[in-house]
């Protein structure tokens, strides 16, 4: 029943009044609809929490772009979530600086602690784990984002403290 309701809600996705206003402002800021795709996807994700196929079709329709193109862009960038994240979404950088500074050890620690693999969510829906490319903070590697918060210069002890603070 919940799934049915959820599907229905997603099929009926439309920007709420506030985001409709922001969408129109976005369109005015960019020279083409194609250029407005990334901010429009952000807006949709901000409203729904993640991007379903139905939402991607909605965005394609609003921007008069090919659904295949919108789908490809949403799949390419790891910051666009295609599944519901946990309440705390952990994005651990797997790029060079972070790997050299110990992100693989942190990944093993998180996977062990939560008994999940990257791309999965704990059974209680509280934590989800994802590996991402460079978070742009290589000087403070290893780095992980917890929702919108950057956690830097990580150690295993620091990671445990962050998790306990969630
Ligand atoms: S390599 Fe991890 S933040 Fe750049």
């Amino acid at each position: 029943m919940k799934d049915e309701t959820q599907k229905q809600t997603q099929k009926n996705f439309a920007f709420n009044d506030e985001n409709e206003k922001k969408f129109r402002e976005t369109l005015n800021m960019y020279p083409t609809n194609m250029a407005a795709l990334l901010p429009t996807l952000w807006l949709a994700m901000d409203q729904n929490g993640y991007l379903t196929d139905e939402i991607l079709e909605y965005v394609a329709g609003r921007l008069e772009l090919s659904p295949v193109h919108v789908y490809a862009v949403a799949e390419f960038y790891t910051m666009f979530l295609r599944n519901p994240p946990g309440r705390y979404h952990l994005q651990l950088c797997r790029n060079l600086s972070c790997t050299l500074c110990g992100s693989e050890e942190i990944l093993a620690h998180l996977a062990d602690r939560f008994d999940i693999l990257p791309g999965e969510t704990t059974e209680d829906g509280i934590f989800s784990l994802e590996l991402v490319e460079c978070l742009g903070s290589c000087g403070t590697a290893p780095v992980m984002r917890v929702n919108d918060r950057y956690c830097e210069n990580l150690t295993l002890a620091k990671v445990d403290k962050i998790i306990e603070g969630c």
Side-chain angles (χ1 to χ4, degrees):
M1 183 69 182
K2 190 181 167 202
D3 281 352
E4 279 302 307
T5 311
Q6 209 171 16
K7 272 184 196 160
Q8 193 64 28
T9 306
Q10 288 165 1
K11 274 201 184 333
N12 294 332
F13 180 86
F15 286 135
N16 58 31
D17 290 348
E18 187 188 339
N19 284 340
E20 180 63 33
K21 192 169 166 246
K22 286 182 186 170
F23 172 65
R24 289 174 190 279
E25 286 166 4
T26 299
L27 285 182
N28 287 331
M29 284 166 52
Y30 290 88
T32 64
N33 285 5
M34 182 77 86
L37 176 55
L38 293 181
T40 304
L41 287 172
W42 274 120
L43 207 52
M45 195 166 83
D46 192 46
Q47 182 171 318
N48 192 63
Y50 62 103
L51 299 171
T52 63
D53 289 349
E54 290 77 11
I55 292 174
L56 296 184
E57 282 168 29
Y58 172 80
V59 168
R62 293 301 306 272
L63 292 174
E64 299 176 347
L65 296 173
S66 145
V68 172
H69 178 76
V70 174
Y71 184 92
V73 169
E75 287 286 325
F76 179 78
Y77 291 105
T78 55
M79 67 279 266
F80 292 126
L81 304 179
R82 298 281 284 121
N83 293 300
R87 189 187 312 159
Y88 297 99
H89 186 53
L90 313 178
Q91 294 180 299
L92 180 65
C93 175
R94 67 171 170 199
N95 228 287
L96 186 60
S97 298
C98 289
T99 300
L100 291 174
C101 293
S103 68
E104 286 180 349
E105 196 185 356
I106 291 167
L107 172 63
H109 183 66
L110 288 169
D112 193 44
R113 179 168 179 153
F114 295 127
D115 196 23
I116 57 173
L117 294 170
E120 294 180 345
T121 303
T122 53
E123 271 181 26
D124 57 10
I126 296 184
F127 291 99
S128 51
L129 177 60
E130 186 182 5
L131 286 175
V132 295
E133 301 304 334
C134 182
L135 287 169
S137 187
C138 314
T140 57
V143 180
M144 174 173 75
R145 263 175 55 146
V146 179
N147 295 343
D148 290 333
R149 184 165 62 104
Y150 268 62
C151 304
E152 299 158 297
N153 297 306
L154 293 174
T155 60
L156 295 186
K158 208 166 171 182
V159 167
D160 282 337
K161 204 168 167 200
I162 292 163
I163 299 303
E164 273 138 36
C166 286

